[in-house]
């Protein structure tokens, strides 16, 4: 507790650590979901639903928000051609991993 009975504010280092935990869980779930959906030739919507659900489960299991999963999926969805890319295409992986980078930048201040 801080002075006057108020909880201390989280430090930036703590926010970064918390965000990295969430990113790790979301990345595992997201990659797994996108890989399963793409390998099974599912459409965009079922693949993204699976990826978001798994990102939430894995991310939440590491104790934080599903916001990261929504942000990185939005980046993939908004990257031209990424949703049609196959596992062997660099665009598939660049959009997916780039989405995680954007999500990290957006969610670190939220975690702070």
């Amino acid at each position: 507790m801080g002075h006057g009975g108020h909880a201390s504010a989280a430090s930036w280092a703590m926010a970064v650590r918390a965000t990295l935990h969430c990113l790790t869980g979301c990345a595992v779930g997201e990659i797994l979901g996108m890989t399963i959906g793409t390998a099974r030739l599912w459409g965009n919507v079922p693949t993204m639903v699976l990826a978001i659900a798994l990102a939430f489960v894995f991310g939440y299991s590491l104790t934080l928000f599903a916001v990261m999963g929504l942000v990185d999926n939005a980046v993939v969805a908004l990257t031209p051609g990424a949703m049609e890319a196959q596992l062997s295409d660099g665009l598939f992986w660049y959009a997916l991993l780039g989405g995680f980078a954007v999500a990290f930048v957006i969610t670190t201040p939220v975690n702070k």
Side-chain angles (χ1 to χ4, degrees), residues 6 10 18 22 38-40 48-51 56-57 61-62 65 76 79-81 85-87 94 103 106:
H6 296 286
C22 184
T38 301
R40 291 179 178 236
M48 288 185 72
V49 167
L50 178 63
F56 177 79
V57 168
S61 71
L62 294 178
F65 305 105
V76 171
T79 300
Q86 298 301 309
L87 296 176
Y94 293 132
I106 290 173

Side-chain angles (χ1 to χ4, degrees), residues 95-110:
L96 187 59
L97 298 175
F100 293 137
V102 170
F104 177 80
V105 170
I106 290 173
T107 57
T108 297
V110 172

Side-chain angles (χ1 to χ4, degrees), residues 73-84:
N73 270 279
V75 169
V76 171
L78 295 173
T79 300
M83 292 304 297
E84 291 77 31

